[in-house]
Amino acid sequence: MCGRFNVDSDPLSRLLLELVKLRHPGPDNHNAAPTETIVVLRLDETGAPELVPMRWWLTPHWAKDAGTRYAMFNARSETVERSRAFREPFRKRRCVVPVSGFYEWARQPDAGSGGRKLPYYIRPHEAPGMLLAGIWDRWRDPDAGGTLESFAILTTDAAEGLAFVHDRQPAMLGLAEARRWLDPEASTEDLKALLSSRVPVDLDAVPVSTWVNNARHKDLRVLEPIADPVAVAAEPS
């Protein structure tokens, strides 16, 4: 599952300069939520990398409207090839979503918690950001004209070190894997292999306050820790 994330353009620029020699254009968004506009990385028609703002909620090109009746901000990697909404983007329109970290909510096992969920901010321990596997599509409005470009994030089973937070995680890519994910010549087998339950860099799972629960809260308070982080070690490819 991936339903909120943090975008901090300055450190992400360092990551993107190493990956594709481009700077993140901003804006920062410390509590990005589905349906908001987020910058993603894709290849243009000439094969050159470009950073493009898109809505985080994929609208298939064949949809009758751009509504949000169905949850289309995540795409399960196990079924992406078979999904009517996702299979063509998986084959032809892949993107990478650069984020500084993402939020996940873990149900607390102690009886005194009343079953409440504690938010965690999952961030790289030292790396300047994360690269998440995404797919995108372009929808054309049949009435008003114009187009809408939108994307979804691929998810997979959680790696062992993250399973205490949630049983799902976004598909995370290292630098070489991100380049392969964008490669239009990559085979289906290669692409599926990239969508593993893996952590490419050391992470910290940081308990944060429930201030982050409200997606309208965009200030740095959403990142403030309330307890020590849990270290999650990288897993070899």
Side-chain angles (χ1 to χ4, degrees):
M1 186 68 176
C2 184
R4 300 278 183 81
F5 52 74
N6 172 31
V7 175
D8 191 340
S9 57
D10 182 44
L12 284 176
S13 286
R14 300 200 304 271
L15 180 64
L16 290 167
L17 283 167
E18 184 176 1
L19 179 64
V20 290
K21 295 181 171 48
L22 294 175
R23 291 185 177 275
H24 195 288
D28 294 350
N29 188 338
H30 300 304
N31 195 6
T35 73
E36 295 182 4
T37 299
I38 308 296
V39 170
V40 305
L41 172 67
R42 69 178 179 190
L43 301 184
D44 67 17
E45 294 179 356
T46 70
E50 63 175 355
L51 292 164
V52 182
M54 293 188 187
R55 186 178 75 159
W56 181 17
W57 194 294
L58 190 141
T59 299
H61 64 275
W62 44 260
K64 293 182 179 180
D65 58 52
T68 55
R69 179 180 176 186
Y70 301 106
M72 303 285 279
F73 57 96
N74 286 165
R76 292 179 66 91
S77 60
E78 297 88 345
T79 58
V80 69
E81 287 183 282
R82 303 191 299 274
S83 167
R84 184 188 176 206
F86 300 141
R87 63 192 177 204
E88 185 174 330
F90 173 66
R91 292 196 301 265
K92 300 179 180 179
R93 290 182 288 278
R94 295 181 299 279
C95 62
V96 170
V97 186
V99 303
S100 301
F102 66 94
Y103 303 95
E104 194 53 82
W105 282 256
R107 189 171 299 281
Q108 300 305 289
D110 58 291
S113 69
R116 66 183 177 87
K117 291 185 175 182
L118 174 68
Y120 281 81
Y121 176 50
I122 316 298
R123 69 184 185 196
H125 181 66
E126 293 184 338
M130 296 177 171
L131 301 170
L132 308 183
I135 52 178
W136 67 278
D137 212 341
R138 181 182 291 119
W139 177 78
R140 290 179 170 81
D141 189 331
D143 299 318
T147 61
L148 171 67
E149 293 188 333
S150 58
F151 73 96
I153 292 172
L154 275 291
T155 66
T156 186
D157 287 336
E160 182 177 355
L162 286 172
F164 79 97
V165 180
H166 200 280
D167 61 359
R168 303 289 293 178
Q169 69 171 55
M172 306 177 199
L173 306 171
L175 291 172
E177 294 166 327
R179 296 184 183 102
R180 190 60 175 157
W181 179 252
L182 292 173
D183 184 353
E185 302 301 321
S187 68
T188 298
E189 291 72 21
D190 285 348
L191 295 171
K192 290 171 63 176
L194 298 176
L195 302 175
S196 62
S197 304
R198 197 174 71 80
V199 175
V201 297
D202 291 340
L203 303 177
D204 291 327
V206 185
V208 294
S209 82
T210 54
W211 186 250
V212 74
N213 291 1
N214 188 332
R216 293 190 297 273
H217 295 162
K218 305 293 188 183
D219 57 277
L220 290 172
R221 183 176 167 185
V222 299
L223 299 170
E224 292 179 357
I226 61 171
D228 292 337
V230 177
V232 181
E235 301 176 6
S237 57

